[in-house]
Amino acid sequence: MLDKVRVILVGTTDQRNIGSAARAMKTMGIHELVLVQPEELPEGKAQALAAGATDVLAKAQIMDSLADALADCQLVLATSARNRTLDWPQLTPREAGEKAVQEGLAGAKVAIVFGREASGLTNEELQMADFHLHIPANPEYSSLNLAMAVQTVCYEVRMAALAAAEAPESVRSSDVEYPLHDDIEGFYAHLERVLGHTGFIIRKHPGMVMTKLRRLFNRARPEKNELNILRGVLSSVERLAPSNEKRSPD
Amino acid sequence: MLDKVRVILVGTTDQRNIGSAARAMKTMGIHELVLVQPEELPEGKAQALAAGATDVLAKAQIMDSLADALADCQLVLATSARNRTLDWPQLTPREAGEKAVQEGLAGAKVAIVFGREASGLTNEELQMADFHLHIPANPEYSSLNLAMAVQTVCYEVRMAALAAAEAPESVRSSDVEYPLHDDIEGFYAHLERVLGHTGFIIRKHPGMVMTKLRRLFNRARPEKNELNILRGVLSSVERLAPSNEKRSPD
C-alpha cells in the first residue's frame, strides 16, 4: 500500500533538503514526491544528497499550488508545530502512520504534506488537511530538519504497513468511501456562497466563521454520501429565495 | 530519563553527519554524544549542520575505542544491518526505545551505537552489544543516512519516554465546553424545521435524512460555541424567506 502515499513538500527553500527527503522516502519504500513551488529546483546538490534515490527525484512532479497537489487525494495529513489558533484534529506520527495505512489499504490516495523549512505551512494550507501531524519534539529545541521530519513520518508509515501486512485481513480495512479533496473544497466554497446569500457571512467582515465550520466538518470527516446530502441541503437553501445578495453600496 | 542515554558514533567519515546527528538528538531531548575515532573532527561544517545543537557538539567526548565509550554503560544497543553471521538478539527501533526507557528508568546508563557511513560496525564491535537494533528499511534501498538513523532511533526513545511519563495519568481533561444534550436535540429539531422549510425534507416522506445528519454531526461532537454557530446559520436561512410551508391539502 506504500504506493498510495504521496509526499508533498511545499515551498522548500533548499534543494538539498529535497534530495535528502527523496532518500529518506525511498529507504522507507515510498516513491511519490510532489514539490509545490520549490524555491530551488532539485538539481546537482539535491541529486548528491538523494544518493541512491535519484529516481524518486527524477519522477517528482512540480505543481503550482497545494490544492492541485491534493486534488485527487482522499486523506490529507499536514505536518505542523502545535497550533493554538487552529485547533485541528491532531495525530502523532504513529497515529498518522496507522491512519495512512488503514485508508490506503481501503484504496484511498494519501497525501502527507510538509511545509517550508523556516515557516512551515500557512494557516490556509493547514486548513486543507483532514488531520494535523505533530512530531512531539523537545520543547526546548523542536527544530527538526525538513528531511528528518520526512524520515520520521515515512518510518511510521512503513512500520504501520509492515504491521498490517502481518495482521489478519479482518482488522484492516473499512468500506467507507471518502470524497476527493477537490469535492470537499467544492462543498466549502458552496457553503460560503450560501452563507453569504443568507446574510450569515457579511462579505466585508467574514471573520472566523468558515474556519470554525471547516474545523467542525473536518472533525466529522464527511463520507461521500454525507457530502452529497450536505450539498443537497445547500442547493435547497439557494432555491428557497432567488439570489438577493446585497451589493456593497460603494 | 533521556539523560541516561548516550549516543555513540563510531568511525564517522563525514563531520557533517556528526553535526546533523547532534541536531537530531537534541530535537528528541537527548544530549550526550560520544565520538569514537571520528575520521574528521567536528568543526565548522559540523557546526553549521548542528544548527541550534552546537552545545551537544561542544560537549561531545572523543574516545579512542568503543570499549572505553561503553565502560560505564549497563545496556548497549548497536545498530546493524541484518547480520547472518552474528545471530544476536535483534530489536526493532520501537522495541529498542522501550527497552532503553525501561532500563533507563530503573537507573541504567544506556548506550546506542551507530557505525561508519559505508561499512557500519565490525563484528567485533557488534559483539559488545546486548542487543542489535535493525531499522526495517526498504530491502531494495536500505541505505539510511547516518543522521537519519540517529533521528529515527532517538525518536523511538523519546516516544517511549513520553509514553512512560504519561502512563499513570493518561486520562486528561480538556477545556472544551460541550453543550447539554437538550441543546443538541434543540439543534436537530431546528435543523429538521429548516430543512422542511427549504423543501429538502418532504414532510410526508422524510426518509433517512435526519438520521444521516445526526450520525454526521454526532461524529463531529459539536462544542458549545460551534453549536451556536450552527443555530445562527439555521436562523439566517429562516430569515432569508418567510415561512412558506406547504400545508397538507387534507
Side-chain angles (χ1 to χ4, degrees):
Chain A
M1 73 50 65
L2 293 172
D3 59 348
K4 306 297 287 184
V5 178
R6 173 182 301 163
V7 169
I8 303 175
L9 304 183
V10 178
T12 310
T13 308
D14 186 335
Q15 59 164 299
R16 291 176 298 186
N17 288 329
I18 298 175
S20 292
R23 177 173 177 182
M25 289 167 58
K26 189 171 175 183
T27 62
M28 297 294 110
I30 294 172
H31 295 83
E32 191 180 336
L33 176 61
V34 172
L35 308 172
V36 174
Q37 297 200 332
E39 294 213 1
E40 292 184 338
L41 290 179
E43 291 169 343
K45 288 184 199 168
Q47 280 161 14
L49 281 153
T54 47
D55 57 330
V56 171
L57 219 49
K59 283 182 305 182
Q61 287 193 72
I62 298 176
M63 294 196 179
D64 280 337
S65 77
L66 179 56
D68 289 347
L70 296 177
D72 59 343
C73 295
Q74 279 126 325
L75 174 67
V76 179
L77 308 172
T79 53
S80 78
R82 265 192 212 298
N83 191 316
R84 292 182 188 282
T85 59
L86 218 64
D87 184 17
W88 228 247
Q90 282 245 354
L91 302 178
T92 63
R94 186 154 311 160
E95 293 164 340
E98 286 161 1
K99 185 157 271 298
V101 167
Q102 186 185 33
E103 302 207 6
L105 285 172
K109 184 79 193 175
V110 177
I112 309 179
V113 188
F114 296 84
R116 297 154 192 84
E117 286 93 332
S119 58
L121 296 166
T122 65
N123 276 358
E124 194 186 354
E125 288 160 351
L126 283 169
Q127 289 183 50
M128 294 183 191
D130 298 305
F131 295 91
H132 291 171
L133 193 178
H134 174 69
I135 298 177
N138 179 4
E140 284 159 31
Y141 182 61
S142 59
S143 165
L144 267 80
N145 166 271
L146 171 60
M148 294 287 185
V150 172
Q151 181 78 63
T152 301
V153 175
C154 289
Y155 161 77
E156 284 287 12
V157 174
R158 181 171 185 81
M159 290 298 282
L162 293 176
E166 285 172 9
E169 187 95 31
S170 59
V171 291
R172 283 192 212 160
S173 66
S174 68
D175 302 333
V176 173
E177 194 178 358
Y178 289 108
L180 298 180
H181 181 75
D182 248 13
D183 296 331
I184 294 273
E185 291 298 326
F187 161 68
Y188 286 128
H190 194 179
L191 178 60
E192 188 165 8
R193 218 156 56 230
V194 167
L195 295 186
H197 183 50
T198 71
F200 188 73
I201 292 179
I202 299 157
R203 189 60 60 89
K204 287 189 160 181
H205 305 285
M208 293 288 287
V209 169
M210 283 308 301
T211 298
K212 288 177 175 169
L213 287 171
R214 272 177 178 263
R215 175 170 170 272
L216 172 68
F217 282 109
N218 271 20
R219 212 164 59 227
R221 199 149 180 239
E223 299 168 8
K224 196 169 178 178
N225 64 11
E226 292 170 339
L227 200 72
N228 290 339
I229 293 174
L230 293 173
R231 291 298 292 257
V233 167
L234 294 178
S235 297
S236 78
V237 173
E238 287 180 316
R239 282 193 301 269
L240 188 64
S243 180
N244 58 354
E245 258 189 280
K246 294 162 194 82
R247 299 198 178 269
S248 64
D250 48 2
Chain B
M1 71 52 65
L2 294 172
D3 58 350
K4 307 298 285 184
V5 177
R6 172 182 302 162
V7 168
I8 302 174
L9 305 183
V10 178
T12 310
T13 307
D14 186 334
Q15 59 164 298
R16 290 175 298 186
N17 288 329
I18 299 175
S20 292
R23 178 175 178 180
M25 289 167 58
K26 188 171 177 183
T27 62
M28 296 294 111
I30 294 172
H31 294 83
E32 191 180 336
L33 176 60
V34 172
L35 308 173
V36 174
Q37 296 197 332
E39 295 213 359
E40 292 184 337
L41 291 178
E43 292 169 343
K45 286 184 199 167
Q47 280 161 14
L49 281 152
T54 47
D55 56 329
V56 171
L57 220 48
K59 283 183 304 180
Q61 289 191 71
I62 298 176
M63 296 195 179
D64 280 339
S65 77
L66 179 57
D68 289 348
L70 296 177
D72 59 342
C73 295
Q74 282 127 324
L75 173 67
V76 178
L77 308 171
T79 52
S80 77
R82 269 195 208 296
N83 192 313
R84 290 181 190 282
T85 58
L86 218 62
D87 185 16
W88 227 248
Q90 282 246 353
L91 303 178
T92 64
R94 187 155 311 163
E95 292 163 341
E98 286 160 3
K99 183 158 272 301
V101 167
Q102 189 182 30
E103 303 207 6
L105 284 174
K109 184 77 193 176
V110 177
I112 309 179
V113 188
F114 296 83
R116 297 154 193 85
E117 287 93 331
S119 58
L121 295 166
T122 64
N123 276 358
E124 193 186 355
E125 288 160 350
L126 282 169
Q127 292 182 53
M128 295 181 192
D130 299 306
F131 294 91
H132 292 172
L133 193 178
H134 174 69
I135 298 176
N138 179 3
E140 286 160 30
Y141 182 61
S142 59
S143 164
L144 266 78
N145 167 273
L146 170 60
M148 292 288 184
V150 172
Q151 181 79 64
T152 302
V153 175
C154 290
Y155 161 78
E156 284 288 12
V157 174
R158 181 173 186 79
M159 289 297 281
L162 292 176
E166 279 177 11
E169 49 203 328
S170 60
V171 187
R172 294 274 162 82
S173 67
S174 70
D175 310 332
V176 174
E177 195 179 356
Y178 288 108
L180 299 177
H181 182 73
D182 247 15
D183 296 330
I184 294 275
E185 290 301 325
F187 161 68
Y188 286 130
H190 194 177
L191 178 61
E192 189 165 8
R193 216 156 59 231
V194 168
L195 295 186
H197 183 50
T198 70
F200 189 74
I201 293 179
I202 299 155
R203 187 62 59 88
K204 286 191 158 176
H205 304 285
M208 293 288 284
V209 171
M210 282 309 300
T211 301
K212 288 177 175 169
L213 287 171
R214 274 177 178 266
R215 176 169 170 272
L216 171 68
F217 282 108
N218 273 13
R219 214 164 57 228
R221 190 142 187 243
E223 299 168 8
K224 194 169 177 181
N225 64 9
E226 291 170 338
L227 201 71
N228 290 340
I229 293 174
L230 293 172
R231 292 296 293 259
V233 167
L234 293 178
S235 297
S236 78
V237 173
E238 287 179 318
R239 281 193 301 270
L240 187 64
S243 179
N244 58 356
E245 259 189 278
K246 296 166 191 76
R247 302 200 176 269
S248 64
D250 48 1

